[in-house]
Amino acid sequence: MPVEVRVRYAPSPTGEPHLGNIRTALFNWLFARHWGGTFIVRIEDTDVTRKVEGAVENNLKSLRWLGLDWDEGPEVGGSHAPYFQSERLALYQEVAVRLLEEGYAYRCYCSPERLNEMRQEQQSRKQPSGYDRHCLGLSHSQVREYEVQGITPVVRFKMPLEGETAFEDLVRGHVSFENRLLDDFVMLKSDGFPTYHLANVVDDHSMEITHVMRAEEWLPSTPRHIQIYRVLGWEPPLFVHLPMILGPDRSKLSKRHGATSVLEYRDMGYLPEVVFNFLALLGWSLDDKTEIMSREDVIKSFTLDRIVKAGAIFSMDKFTWMNGHYIRQLSTQELTKRLLPFLERPYGKGGLPDQIQRPIDTGYLNKLVPLLQERLKTLASTGEMNTGEMISPFFLDKLDYDVKLLVQKEMDITGARSALEESLRLLEILPDFNAQMLEEKLRALSQVLGLNTRQLFGILRVAITGRTAAPPLFQTMETLDRERCVMRIKAALESLRHVPVL
Ligand code: GLU
């Protein structure tokens, strides 16, 4: 790369940062880190009416969670401060005045009603919509009249009427737009705030951005930007338009396809390194087959020629598979640390039962984590049940039994009782209470009792954990220890005592 790379992530705080936004941030960050360049965060908050409370914070939170540090921007400052467009209004106004003076822009006094009528008329005549240049070349007296009426004008950019605006996009190649289809867009609103086009160009120029890397939906804005650069005599940056993110049905990824906000995935128990790895592969690939890549590997190989043109399909199944894969690679201690905040949630929100004391005993949790690790799909769930619910039998003193679950298929109450009584006798005298010995001896017992293992292990699973889905039985028993297992089997027997023999 001949120049020093300067790229930016420029979110508008008009909603929750979604996967597409953060993918854009990630690609910019990767490109900057690959070339030892500068990654800038700039907040494009000029649309006051669409501003959403907390959106800036959630953007920064998402970046921080993924470890995407920024060299210039909110909180960290930098040599091109400020990084909120709402604090840079004078700069845009100055450019608008310059363009007015040089005849590249003009004031427009049209009322919203007039613009509406114009649009309806264009539609009824099946003409392309766009401003009809009503205010271009107004006479002095007309202008005075509007001003006497107290109308504050907007400033429109005068687009060329003929020819085309073309540029080389680093992903899409040669792109061109017919100028006659691009109307005289508003650059400065009547409240003195710039529109996206003006502020974006002024800032990319003044912040010395070398590559504008953004989602494909901004492609139609680019000829407008290029025209602004042209009349100002500024060198435009290079453009890189990233492929769309699609749902499995190939339509644009949206709420319909499930959660779209990165922070929602965090709360669902996806790991930040998975979101990083997965998003890196949405529109970029190393070799079409490598799926698991570390941060360092992605940075090392991240070049623009590997960005793909076609829309990138977001597959929830693959995302969840990758999450499980990463979870299984974590050390017990690390997984314990990551599970804690999920288990400490209220029971109704997926944590351990509320009667279990918080903070949770991490030493004990450390012992349980290996039993769980294989089964977790996310930090919050095994797919079958919440993590808190799954391990609650390890924390509870007393379980509630459902007799129907205790009595296994093709067994009756008497059989169930004797299976539990015989198991109890065995467990009380077992020399070593470890998983291997438990399995061996209980297998043998099932034969003696004339039961199949599914039946005996099934009834024991319910007696020990209170339910049918649980971590592996023998490890569970070992971890719970002999005393608690014996207590539970006795309690299960007790619950069968009052059931009439049918
Ligand atoms: N503010 C725009 C957005 O919200 C930025 C587009 C661009 O990068 O130029 O995505």
Side-chain angles (χ1 to χ4, degrees):
M1 197 61 31
V3 288
E4 190 214 323
V5 166
R6 285 179 62 83
V7 287
R8 81 316 190 263
Y9 169 52
S12 300
T14 51
E16 283 295 305
H18 53 74
L19 289 176
N21 299 127
I22 301 300
R23 194 270 313 251
T24 298
L26 173 63
F27 277 32
N28 277 285
W29 182 87
L30 285 167
F31 188 59
R33 295 294 171 260
H34 178 87
W35 293 107
T38 305
F39 174 60
I40 298 157
V41 174
R42 179 175 79 220
I43 306 297
E44 301 206 326
D45 57 348
T46 56
D47 195 344
V48 191
T49 54
R50 289 180 57 219
K51 201 166 171 170
V52 167
E53 220 37 64
V56 172
E57 292 69 24
N58 285 345
N59 257 291
L60 301 182
K61 235 187 241 172
S62 306
L63 297 182
R64 242 183 255 117
W65 181 62
L66 292 173
L68 307 183
D69 54 334
W70 53 102
D71 309 303
E72 294 178 26
E75 296 174 8
V76 304
S79 51
H80 296 67
Y83 293 93
F84 283 79
Q85 290 188 327
S86 57
E87 295 168 22
R88 300 167 66 84
L89 299 184
L91 210 63
Y92 316 126
Q93 287 161 1
E94 208 177 284
V95 173
V97 168
R98 179 178 151 194
L99 292 177
L100 280 169
E101 283 171 2
E102 293 177 2
Y104 292 116
Y106 60 95
R107 292 188 176 84
C108 168
Y109 297 86
C110 289
S111 63
E113 293 76 30
R114 177 177 184 272
L115 294 174
N116 226 345
E117 265 169 39
M118 176 197 76
R119 233 169 273 131
Q120 278 174 1
E121 190 153 330
Q122 285 167 341
Q123 270 166 12
S124 71
R125 290 209 210 137
K126 303 223 173 340
Q127 284 174 338
S129 62
Y131 185 59
D132 60 2
R133 296 196 153 188
H134 176 265
C135 289
L136 178 65
L138 288 179
S139 68
H140 284 302
S141 64
Q142 280 169 308
V143 169
R144 207 163 318 119
E145 202 174 304
Y146 284 128
E147 280 173 2
V148 167
Q149 289 172 28
I151 301 175
T152 325
V154 300
V155 177
R156 287 188 184 270
F157 184 77
K158 207 157 91 189
M159 281 295 285
L161 294 176
E162 286 163 3
E164 49 181 41
T165 306
F167 58 96
E168 296 303 315
D169 185 278
L170 296 187
V171 171
R172 314 199 65 80
H174 187 76
V175 183
S176 72
F177 289 84
E178 276 186 73
N179 291 337
R180 68 182 178 87
L181 299 177
L182 304 168
D183 75 340
D184 292 353
F185 58 90
V186 176
M187 299 170 67
L188 199 68
K189 295 178 271 186
S190 54
D191 59 4
F193 274 73
T195 58
Y196 158 69
H197 301 303
L198 177 62
N200 196 264
V201 166
V202 169
D203 282 349
D204 283 344
H205 175 73
S206 66
M207 293 182 177
E208 300 177 84
I209 299 301
T210 55
H211 298 72
V212 164
M213 205 182 297
R214 61 184 167 207
E216 196 181 296
E217 64 192 270
W218 299 102
L219 197 65
S221 297
T222 311
R224 297 185 167 95
H225 299 179
I226 288 189
Q227 287 299 336
I228 306 179
Y229 283 108
R230 188 183 61 87
V231 299
L232 288 166
W234 294 344
E235 178 76 25
L238 296 167
F239 292 99
V240 186
H241 285 92
L242 305 175
M244 288 231 279
I245 303 183
L246 311 173
D249 59 356
R250 300 201 137 262
S251 68
K252 191 175 174 213
L253 189 70
S254 71
K255 277 266 167 236
R256 246 176 340 110
H257 299 106
T260 50
S261 131
V262 167
L263 297 178
E264 264 176 275
Y265 282 109
R266 177 197 62 184
D267 296 343
M268 282 158 73
Y270 286 81
L271 308 183
E273 52 270 57
V274 173
V275 177
F276 182 105
N277 186 160
F278 194 76
L279 286 185
L281 298 177
L282 281 183
W284 179 89
S285 85
L286 178 67
D287 54 11
D288 279 342
K289 51 179 196 290
T290 308
E291 302 207 297
I292 303 295
M293 289 184 78
S294 70
R295 272 170 100 77
E296 292 66 33
D297 286 346
V298 183
I299 294 173
K300 203 159 87 208
S301 340
F302 193 85
T303 51
L304 300 182
D305 55 329
R306 292 189 164 126
I307 294 178
V308 292
K309 254 196 234 179
I313 298 188
F314 175 84
S315 152
M316 194 65 201
D317 288 345
K318 195 160 140 194
F319 188 31
T320 305
W321 162 80
M322 192 183 273
N323 204 47
H325 174 87
Y326 271 80
I327 286 178
R328 284 189 286 283
Q329 306 299 311
L330 295 176
S331 69
T332 303
Q333 288 220 327
E334 184 57 30
L335 183 52
T336 302
K337 195 174 103 199
R338 301 217 199 182
L339 284 170
L340 265 178
F342 289 87
L343 296 174
E344 286 185 345
R345 288 174 176 180
Y347 189 59
K349 298 217 180 320
L352 281 170
D354 298 329
Q355 69 263 38
I356 292 158
Q357 211 194 331
R358 272 70 164 167
I360 293 161
D361 175 356
T362 38
Y364 183 49
L365 188 58
N366 248 321
K367 284 202 218 147
L368 310 180
V369 159
L371 305 188
L372 208 61
Q373 193 154 11
E374 280 299 313
R375 296 190 160 208
L376 290 176
K377 287 205 157 66
T378 67
L379 295 172
S381 163
T382 61
E384 288 170 293
M385 60 174 86
N386 291 325
T387 315
E389 198 185 350
M390 189 70 165
I391 59 168
S392 62
F394 290 100
F395 288 88
L396 294 169
D397 290 331
K398 226 171 135 279
L399 304 179
D400 288 326
Y401 294 106
D402 176 346
V403 172
K404 282 199 290 309
L405 294 184
L406 275 169
V407 182
Q408 303 295 296
K409 264 204 198 110
E410 290 154 37
M411 257 177 126
D412 56 14
I413 297 277
T414 319
R417 280 185 195 149
S418 83
L420 288 175
E421 276 159 5
E422 293 307 318
S423 304
L424 196 59
R425 233 189 299 283
L426 174 74
L427 298 188
E428 277 173 333
I429 56 159
L430 211 60
D432 242 333
F433 206 79
N434 64 40
Q436 204 191 340
M437 164 101 47
L438 282 162
E439 177 164 6
E440 194 186 308
K441 299 291 181 201
L442 287 168
R443 254 181 212 289
L445 179 66
S446 70
Q447 286 197 346
V448 175
L449 297 176
L451 296 173
N452 59 41
T453 48
R454 198 174 35 78
Q455 290 170 311
L456 183 64
F457 298 170
I459 189 168
L460 283 172
R461 181 171 292 111
V462 178
I464 300 292
T465 66
R467 59 168 105 94
T468 49
L473 176 63
F474 308 112
Q475 276 126 306
T476 299
M477 292 175 77
E478 177 181 333
T479 310
L480 274 170
D481 77 23
R482 186 193 317 255
E483 195 186 336
R484 275 200 288 177
C485 289
V486 164
M487 246 164 52
R488 286 187 184 183
I489 296 174
K490 285 184 177 162
L493 268 169
E494 189 59 30
S495 76
L496 289 179
R497 184 195 295 272
H498 308 293
V499 182
V501 179
L502 300 173

